[in-house]
Amino acid sequence: MKREKTRFSALGPAALKKSVLMLNPVTLWRNPVMFLVWVGSVLTTLFTLDFLVRHSGEAVFTGLISFWLWATILFANFAEALAELQGKAQAESLRATRSDTMAKLVVGDEVRLIRSTELKKWDQFLLSPGDTVPTDGEILDGAASIDESAMTGESAPVIREAGGDRSGVTGGTRVLAGELRVAVSANPGETFLDRMIALVEGAKRKKSPNEIALSILLIGLSLIFLVVVATLPAFSSYFKTPVSPTVLIALLVCLIPTTIAGLLPAIGIAGIKRAFDANVIAKSGKAVEVAGDIDLLLLDKTGTITFGNRQAVQLLPAAGVSREELARAARLASFGDQTPEGKSVLALAETLLDDHSPVSGVTPVPFTPQTRMSGADSSEGSFRKGSDDAIESFVGHPLPEDVRKTVTGIAQSGGTPLVVVCDKRVLGVIHLKDVIKPGLAERFKRLRAMGVETVMVTGDNPLTAGAIAREAGIDDFFAQAKPEDKMALIKKEQDKGRLVAMSGDGTNDAPSLAQADVALAMNSGTQAAKEAGNMVDLDSDPTKIIAVVEIGKQLLITRGALTTFSVANDVAKYFAILPAIFIVNFPALGVLNVMKLATPETAVASAIIFNALIIPALIPLALKGVAYRPIGASALLRRNLLIYGVGGILAPFVGIKLIDMGLVAIFTRMG
Amino acid sequence: MTVLDWMQLILISLLIGGGAPVVGHYLAWVFTGPRIAPERWIHRLIGVDPDKPMDWREYAGALLFSNALFFAAGYSLLWAQGRLPVNPRHIAAMSPEVTFNTAASFVTNTNWQAYVGEAQLSNFSQMVPITFLMFVGANTGMAALVAILRGFARSGTAHVGNYWDDFFRFFVRAFLPACFAMALLLVWQGVPQTLSTTVVAHSLEGGSQTLILGPVASLEAVKNLGTNGGGFYNANGAHPYENPTPLTNTLELLGMLTFTASLPFLFGRLTGRSRQGWALFATIMILYALGLGAVEISEKGPNPLLAPAGIAQTTSPLQDGGNTEGKETRLGITQTSFFSNTTMAATTGAVDAAMDSMNPLALMVYFSHMWLNEEPGGKGVGFAGLLKEAILAIFIAGLMVGRTPEFLGKKLEAREIKLAALSLIVTPFTVLLLTSVGVTASFGTSSMDNPGPHGFEEVLYAYSSGNANNGSAMAGLNASTPFYADSIGIEMLLSRYLPLLPLLAMAGALARKRIHPVTAGTLPTDTPLFVALLVGFMLLVGLLTFFPGLMLGPILEQLSLMKGLSF
């Protein structure tokens, strides 16, 4: 779907306003590290006011520090506000399509027109061609062709019908043909879309498990730095070198991991939003996170790996029969056949013959469970196609040796052979086969590189299943599977400690979806499936789960990279501030001023300005996410450690030095 | 460095590298093999059921209960010293604060000594309360570690083993026999083992000297093998009766590493991941070797302040060069560097030279070893600390491979991180807060003999030593005052149990967790890259925590020395 990319210029002012409102300490308390900065900001502001009242020259330095401390919080708030507004803007753009529609509510025997926003769960409404679906629901009666392009961007209409696995309708889509009676699946404010909006809203947002663990670590580190800074006045008094509270606060703020603490909420929200960019609605932040951990991906064969139906791919004539003769016979035998397989035989034969003219003078003989054949009768004879044993009983003698060999060959390769006869004469074999969706093999290879194993689940016999698995590049397959087997398979793998992902749409899938660690439900699927899954794909594309795994990994990498960067930054800030404090009494410590910062004041100010500016500098990375490459865990770690670890140690040395030079230039100009 | 220095270096390194896997595998048998008769006798004697599986709370409960008993027993015996037998010199009991400090010090495997052994303890006290606490303190750390290792090895259970079973297995099959053998070797080299208390020696000048004797060899053996460090004599390993020859010096430093350096291999066996064991051994040895190199360079170098006095500080056929002040000439610089780096790395705290006289760079290494306390660190607890560091390093860096972090197949979640962080913050809190009191309050500064950075270092060192359960001292600080004796005593107890309990709780949480299989997406933790990451993480976090202390202590002292400044 082509949603408008929300422009920064549109959200910037709103985000700025929101970030000022978020200076409220009650809100900030949710983020203890930033709360510490808030305390520091308030204290330095009070010091500045005090110096101003007393006309002390220290007001300039203290004021400067105070200003940049407030800026640090504002920048962090801005990151969160921007991420939140971006996510909401996207959700709102979707919701806008459904808010102003009218619904034909069924009340007893009559139908009443009400606003879609007044619909409650379990209410029933009617849909006719041309109607916009007022809200998410499940079809109770009828079948219809529906245009879902507003939701999915897919222009081809889809069929939705009662009773099957494709009984869900989505608010905002349009009925093209057919009549439906639909039950509302969620109260207003509780639809998946509403839930997603809640996920990105700062105040209501629940932290994901990994985010909680990381927050605890950040608090632990902050406690350590708090005691480091709190004991420094005692040390400095022993060395008879007084240190101002402003400098102590600046040191504390530089050391506590403000960068990652400031960006952490934005990273989480952006992860959910990235899933949404892929048209996947995550029901929790945890779902996106766990997606990165998946070890095993269960994929249904039909509809996920292969197109739904078998297709004719080859015509293999019997000895003494020409290919044209077989093609003609196959065409006649399939002429009245409306099954997808039959249509594909017709299409293949017509391509081979280059003859698309209508056939006349034949009587179609449809497939029956008794004959297990279909075909047509014409003046030239009775053309039939069917399985080898059905044909054998039709012709009354075993198949010729060469045809038998062809049949066995096709069966062994995982295909389905259909033997074609005209009266008693065996003409050849049609090779029907599952056609694998293009591009899957590369995606499975990518998954393997990520450490995700793929398993195909199918009702087919092991021979067919194995052949398709090999062709699609799937690691393993589970053949002759019944719906309940999938559940058992998931449990078995989970007992081995593996995390399992799957996608599904049917009511049969619901228990497995609930059991799987990551479960992507198709939006076209039943309500039960959508409730059981922890993500819903608006495009109803089962292979989307692969993209979801990458989004999860990207989220975790971004979190780790920025944490590493944040902690590594501390080294340079120490080298800026600590010598500055003691250098007056101990000139020998000048050696530690490796950046050759101009004065103790500019050194402290440069460090705190760098600490503030690094947050907005990293906002784009936090929102976009660190790129994920499936190059193996070791290579990935080495790469990211170099960039964010070693880079994190070096970058602030350069940054602080540049800011110091800038400050010196400004102060010299000002005199 | 001379050829002889290199030969010692290579030989001792080979002994460490070759011996550690052997001992580690032996320990694996100790903890997993069938119980042997003497263990059953002891269990029956004290009436415990060694087969009862314990969850972490029961395990920690038994550990704390036993340690409280050990502490009470040790304290009472020391308190009653004057009324107890084997005290022909009629030595009276020590002051209450020093008695408390000593009992706390020895039960926590610290062996900080606020007393002078040969003057203030009877032979009974040296043999019974002191040696007893040395055994049980070290044994406790070992048992705790095995429980923690089970947390990593097991899944789907709340049980982490049986404290009494672990305690006596190690004692009977490893600790006691090793100490016995070591004591015999020391006696062979001339270390006294006797119940007589004095001998009179006649010197060449015709004067006479009364030398204190006692059961030194037995105490010396457990002192080093148990990474205890409390000496029979105040001069500790520098005293010729404790450490008469370069061979005993080598034996003693190897003794400190015998069990501690072998723990990665015990870990490898118990978790079935021997490559991981090697990776952790490499981590330990890299930090150990970095320290050794720095100490050797530091002490082979001269003290710049002595140069104007015309003192020869270079190596010549007649003397070992470098900073020889406070070192024993019978051992030389390299043996001293080896011993002191080992005693600090394994947080034993035994010394064979005056730490106060070391050059600042060497002191920086000693501080680092105490703050990290994990290369290999004290018996059992050091290695447990290393696992905690690994968990924290993996938690941050592991995210960068795109999975929620896991170590040895166990997912690291909020609970593990909370417990690891709790364990981590004990060191900065105790060391920094107590030092800040020590260097400012009058009852703290009154004990200081040196001004400037050196005086600061002495206080910082005392609290770092107490925190690390190391026990060595820089001297130059009168630590037997009520303030220091009580504050260090309390610090030793807090620093022993506060970091250990969260790690036991973590073991309890980990034992329940599933072990996730390894995939191409799993962060490998047994590669050189991981070792580099872990070493880098430990140094970074240590540096960030203690940079002010490092800068105002050894760095300022070194920079001042180079400028010829003194305080």
Side-chain angles (χ1 to χ4, degrees), chain A residues 466-539:
Chain A
I468 292 169
R470 256 193 312 283
E471 195 179 333
I474 293 255
D475 296 318
D476 203 356
F477 61 89
F478 188 52
Q480 285 165 341
K482 294 183 287 294
E484 60 270 25
D485 291 341
K486 209 191 251 181
M487 177 78 166
L489 179 63
I490 294 174
K491 279 191 174 156
K492 195 181 94 197
E493 292 296 335
Q494 286 175 334
D495 285 340
K496 283 194 248 164
R498 309 227 275 183
L499 294 175
V500 182
M502 67 173 281
S503 43
D505 53 8
T507 303
N508 297 332
D509 285 334
S512 317
L513 284 167
Q515 180 70 30
D517 299 284
V518 171
L520 182 66
M522 302 295 103
N523 196 44
S524 60
T526 59
Q527 190 59 27
K530 286 195 267 183
E531 287 293 341
N534 47 19
M535 294 186 203
V536 178
D537 180 24
L538 298 178
D539 296 340

Side-chain angles (χ1 to χ4, degrees), chain A residues 5 27 150 166 168 212 232 276 293 317 349 357 371 406 438 518 590 617 629 669:
Chain A
K5 258 256 189 267
T27 345
R166 296 176 164 261
I212 293 172
L232 200 57
F276 197 55
D293 283 355
S357 58
T371 60
T406 312
V518 171
R629 291 151 191 250
R669 191 162 304 167

Side-chain angles (χ1 to χ4, degrees), chain A residues 120-356:
Chain A
K120 305 258 179 321
K121 198 171 181 177
W122 308 124
D123 279 354
Q124 296 183 8
F125 60 86
L126 299 180
L127 288 170
S128 310
D131 286 349
T132 299
V133 180
T135 185
D136 292 358
E138 181 146 25
I139 302 169
L140 300 174
D141 275 330
S145 120
I146 293 182
D147 171 14
E148 293 193 338
S149 57
M151 294 295 291
T152 65
E154 178 59 55
S155 55
V158 293
I159 304 294
R160 297 283 176 256
E161 58 194 340
D165 287 345
R166 296 176 164 261
S167 60
V169 289
T170 312
T173 57
R174 216 159 49 84
V175 180
L176 296 175
E179 300 281 341
L180 297 174
R181 189 158 60 89
V182 179
V184 178
S185 50
N187 280 321
E190 290 170 14
T191 62
F192 296 128
L193 214 51
D194 293 308
R195 285 195 230 166
M196 203 211 82
I197 292 170
L199 277 186
V200 299
E201 260 175 346
K204 294 182 208 158
R205 205 169 70 86
K206 260 177 71 184
K207 287 181 184 172
S208 65
N210 174 262
E211 208 177 334
I212 293 172
L214 185 53
S215 305
I216 292 170
L217 183 64
L218 297 183
I219 293 170
L221 288 174
S222 302
L223 279 174
I224 291 177
F225 292 127
L226 197 61
V227 77
V228 167
V229 173
T231 51
L232 200 57
F235 296 179
S236 72
S237 103
Y238 170 83
F239 285 98
K240 304 191 174 47
T241 312
V243 41
S244 82
T246 306
V247 171
L248 286 176
I249 291 170
L251 177 61
L252 176 65
V253 172
C254 278
L255 291 181
I256 58 176
T258 48
T259 311
I260 178 63
L263 294 172
L264 192 55
I267 295 170
I269 297 170
I272 294 169
K273 188 190 149 274
R274 275 200 299 280
F276 197 55
D277 285 343
N279 272 347
V280 172
I281 296 183
K283 293 205 223 160
S284 69
K286 183 184 170 187
V288 180
E289 200 172 279
V290 176
D293 283 355
I294 290 307
D295 301 301
L296 188 77
L297 187 52
L298 289 191
L299 295 162
D300 282 330
K301 187 202 79 180
T302 309
T304 306
I305 294 165
T306 62
F307 292 108
N309 309 300
R310 285 153 189 262
Q311 296 186 340
V313 290
Q314 220 181 352
L315 295 178
L316 300 153
V321 179
S322 76
R323 191 173 292 268
E324 283 69 32
E325 194 181 355
L326 174 61
R328 248 178 57 77
R331 184 171 179 231
L332 289 173
S334 308
F335 192 67
D337 191 344
Q338 285 306 310
T339 63
E341 286 85 355
K343 284 181 184 167
S344 81
V345 173
L346 197 63
L348 179 69
E350 288 183 349
T351 318
L352 285 175
L353 293 169
D354 202 15
D355 176 6
H356 300 273

Side-chain angles (χ1 to χ4, degrees), chain B residues 9-22 253-254 257-258 261-262 265 281 285 288 292 338 342:
Chain B
L9 192 80
I10 293 166
L11 182 70
I12 297 178
S13 303
L14 283 177
L15 284 170
I16 297 170
V22 178
L253 80 89
L254 287 175
L257 295 174
T258 301
S262 66
F265 302 101
F281 181 70
M285 282 302 139
Y288 176 86
L292 180 61
F338 238 120
T342 308

Side-chain angles (χ1 to χ4, degrees), chain B residues 138 170 174-183 219-228 251-252 254-260 348 379:
Chain B
F170 179 67
F175 202 9
L176 194 61
C179 287
F180 193 77
M182 175 70 92
L219 186 141
E220 195 64 20
V222 62
K223 166 184 124 179
N224 294 304
L225 282 162
T227 68
N228 285 294
L251 282 174
E252 287 177 15
L254 287 175
M256 299 177 206
L257 295 174
T258 301
F259 293 119
T260 51
T348 309
K379 199 157 217 166

Side-chain angles (χ1 to χ4, degrees), chain B residues 264-427:
Chain B
F265 302 101
L266 169 64
F267 164 89
R269 273 289 162 102
L270 289 190
T271 58
R273 294 167 194 262
S274 60
R275 254 184 78 92
Q276 185 68 58
W278 277 103
L280 292 170
F281 181 70
T283 307
I284 290 169
M285 282 302 139
I286 287 170
L287 288 165
Y288 176 86
L290 282 176
L292 180 61
V295 172
E296 178 76 2
I297 290 167
S298 163
E299 298 312 296
K300 279 279 181 180
N303 178 346
L305 286 181
L306 291 179
I311 295 168
Q313 297 187 72
T314 48
T315 309
S316 69
L318 288 176
Q319 68 165 30
D320 207 358
N323 178 26
T324 49
E325 185 198 318
K327 297 191 177 63
E328 298 296 304
T329 49
R330 70 177 184 282
L331 303 174
I333 302 260
T334 300
Q335 277 287 338
T336 309
S337 300
F338 238 120
F339 192 97
S340 62
N341 185 61
T342 308
T343 194
M344 301 311 286
T347 64
T348 309
V351 291
D352 68 352
M355 301 308 244
D356 213 21
S357 305
M358 299 281 181
N359 278 335
L361 177 60
L363 284 174
M364 204 159 120
V365 172
Y366 303 152
F367 275 116
S368 307
H369 280 322
M370 286 191 285
W371 294 331
L372 290 177
N373 199 4
E374 285 141 7
E375 64 279 20
K379 199 157 217 166
V381 292
F383 190 71
L386 184 67
L387 293 175
K388 165 199 75 193
E389 300 272 1
I391 283 173
L392 291 172
I394 287 166
F395 182 75
I396 296 180
L399 281 173
M400 287 197 287
V401 303
R403 284 170 77 93
T404 57
E406 54 194 88
F407 181 41
L408 307 179
K410 304 270 190 179
K411 287 265 175 226
L412 303 177
E413 290 164 306
R415 188 173 164 77
E416 288 76 38
I417 297 307
K418 185 162 60 185
L419 293 167
L422 267 178
S423 180
L424 184 73
I425 63 176
V426 175
T427 296

